[in-house]
Amino acid sequence: MGEMSNNQLGVIGALFLSVASSVSIVICNKALMSNLGFQFATTLTSWHLMVTYCTLHVASRLNFFENKTIDMKTVMLFGILNGISIGFLNLSLGFNSIGFYQMTKLAIIPFTVMLETLFLKKQFSDKIKISLSILLLGVGIASVTDLQLNLVGTILSLIAILTTCISQILTNTIQKRLNVSSTQLLYQSSPFQAAILFVIGPFLDQCLTGQNVFAYTYSPSVMVIILLSCLIAVFVNFSTFLVIGKTSPVTYQVLGHLKTCLVLGFGYTLLHDPFTARNIFGILVAMVGMGLYSYFCTLETKRKHTPSLSSQVKERESTTLLVSHLDKESKFQLFKIETHA
């Protein structure tokens, strides 16, 4: 029971860290990109991962966690896939309208459910599916505005969805099958993620913005906010692997939509972004979906850890039969001793 409560506290802590760090980095990056004109998102992500790796390397040296060697081929392919998924998400945003990009993010949950059902034989109850549908409907109402389709953007979005689903499923699967922690996996894979994004980042950013990241004038205020963004990203990356490892890729995506709702709220409160009755209604519907998802997940978790009544009855019957058999054996042995005596 104590182990269960400790595990629940760990999950709650991971979820809180993920929400707090993600909302913080969105606000920080919005100030960097909207106010200071630094538009190089993919290159910035590569810097985030480099700082994450350096931080974890120092933590490993100071024995904050034990470094565990993972098969190099597995880690390399996993890291490269993660980097590619980030690149395609950014391309999807660049080649599509904001509304279609939000639809792309919404599609990640049903695709993840489908892939886990087909290839990992994971079962999702009807209640879970209904709660996810309510959640997606709410987020769609709150965040999706214009839907402009184009062939290139649609293809990029499909690739982004597929690579993101696979990378998040692998984040969970590798941790459980190879018995490694989220920190160990992030430490091993972050150099490869950073490398692929550092190579393709400047090209993608120039393609999307028409500007060269190396020709940008870096003022002291820009440097300070970039450094702050990189430091927050350490907690974002760490909590991402932690949440997916402790829960599931679908739960992580649900959490991501909670962040979307919070960012919309913070944007209205702090940055005075436009906010309509439709946004409010969508967020409320999404919150209902999240509440139902959390409730049904908790019920299913308890059901898995609590033995059923029939199994308890069978266990009692088998125990009674065993005791009865042992009692008969002991009486028979005693009878033999008395006869020999």
Side-chain angles (χ1 to χ4, degrees):
M1 194 73 178
E3 188 179 341
M4 271 286 292
S5 61
N6 286 339
N7 187 48
Q8 287 173 345
L9 284 173
V11 171
I12 292 168
L15 295 174
F16 177 79
L17 179 62
S18 180
V19 170
S21 59
S22 295
V23 172
S24 300
I25 203 168
V26 166
I27 294 171
C28 182
N29 288 349
K30 187 163 186 178
L32 183 63
M33 294 179 183
S34 300
N35 300 340
L36 298 173
F38 186 88
Q39 302 291 328
F40 312 105
T42 310
T43 303
L44 180 63
T45 306
S46 72
W47 297 345
H48 287 169
L49 287 160
M50 285 179 192
V51 173
T52 299
Y53 171 72
C54 293
T55 305
L56 290 178
H57 185 70
V58 172
S60 174
R61 291 290 184 182
L62 295 174
N63 295 320
F64 281 105
F65 72 94
E66 181 186 354
N67 180 25
K68 185 174 181 179
T69 304
I70 308 172
D71 175 58
M72 182 59 69
K73 186 179 177 182
T74 301
V75 172
M76 187 184 296
L77 291 174
F78 171 71
I80 291 171
L81 179 64
N82 260 314
I84 289 171
S85 73
I86 294 169
F88 274 110
L89 279 171
N90 288 342
L91 279 173
S92 173
L93 177 58
F95 280 86
N96 290 303
S97 64
I98 297 293
F100 192 81
Y101 176 71
Q102 288 295 343
M103 286 297 293
T104 299
K105 289 171 69 177
L106 291 176
I108 291 173
I109 284 184
F111 266 80
T112 303
V113 170
M114 182 185 72
L115 289 174
E116 287 196 303
T117 304
L118 288 176
F119 296 103
L120 298 181
K121 308 302 179 188
K122 187 173 180 179
Q123 298 297 318
F124 294 87
S125 67
D126 290 337
K127 291 178 181 179
I128 292 289
K129 290 175 184 175
I130 291 169
S131 63
L132 288 174
S133 300
I134 295 170
L135 163 67
L136 295 175
L137 175 65
V139 177
I141 292 170
S143 61
V144 177
T145 50
D146 57 324
L147 279 177
Q148 298 172 11
L149 301 177
N150 66 81
L151 181 60
V152 175
T154 303
I155 292 170
L156 290 172
S157 291
L158 288 172
I159 298 172
I161 291 167
L162 185 62
T163 53
T164 302
C165 291
I166 294 172
S167 65
Q168 290 182 359
I169 290 170
L170 285 175
T171 302
N172 179 273
T173 306
I174 290 173
Q175 288 184 56
K176 289 181 176 173
R177 291 194 178 173
L178 299 185
N179 195 26
V180 294
S181 69
S182 55
T183 314
Q184 291 166 336
L185 181 59
L186 179 60
Y187 177 53
Q188 293 281 338
S189 64
S190 54
F192 299 105
Q193 294 181 59
I196 189 72
L197 289 175
F198 188 73
V199 171
I200 67 175
F203 170 74
L204 287 184
D205 289 333
Q206 187 158 13
C207 176
L208 295 172
T209 66
Q211 301 176 46
N212 189 337
V213 66
F214 301 111
Y216 181 82
T217 304
Y218 292 87
S219 64
S221 56
V222 170
M223 293 295 291
V224 168
I225 297 183
I226 287 175
L227 180 61
L228 179 61
S229 178
C230 288
L231 292 175
I232 297 172
V234 175
F235 296 98
V236 173
N237 292 326
F238 171 72
S239 62
T240 296
F241 277 59
L242 190 62
V243 168
I244 295 175
K246 282 187 170 292
T247 57
S248 69
V250 173
T251 299
Y252 175 72
Q253 284 299 323
V254 170
L255 190 68
H257 293 307
L258 170 61
K259 298 171 199 172
T260 300
C261 295
L262 290 174
V263 167
L264 286 171
F266 277 116
Y268 172 72
T269 308
L270 302 177
L271 306 174
H272 306 292
D273 289 343
F275 210 60
T276 64
R278 174 179 168 169
N279 297 132
I280 296 170
F281 177 69
I283 288 172
L284 291 175
V285 172
M287 289 299 180
V288 170
M290 287 176 208
L292 289 173
Y293 176 79
S294 302
Y295 176 70
F296 292 138
C297 280
T298 304
L299 281 183
E300 290 188 6
T301 303
K302 283 181 180 177
R303 198 175 294 123
K304 284 177 185 175
H305 286 92
T306 305
S308 64
L309 186 62
S310 60
S311 65
Q312 288 179 352
V313 169
K314 284 179 183 177
E315 191 176 344
R316 282 199 201 108
E317 287 177 353
S318 62
T319 305
T320 305
L321 286 170
L322 181 63
V323 169
S324 174
H325 176 72
L326 289 173
D327 191 42
K328 285 180 182 177
E329 282 287 324
S330 60
K331 283 180 181 177
F332 180 69
Q333 291 293 334
L334 185 62
F335 175 75
K336 282 175 71 177
I337 292 169
E338 287 175 353
T339 304
H340 285 298

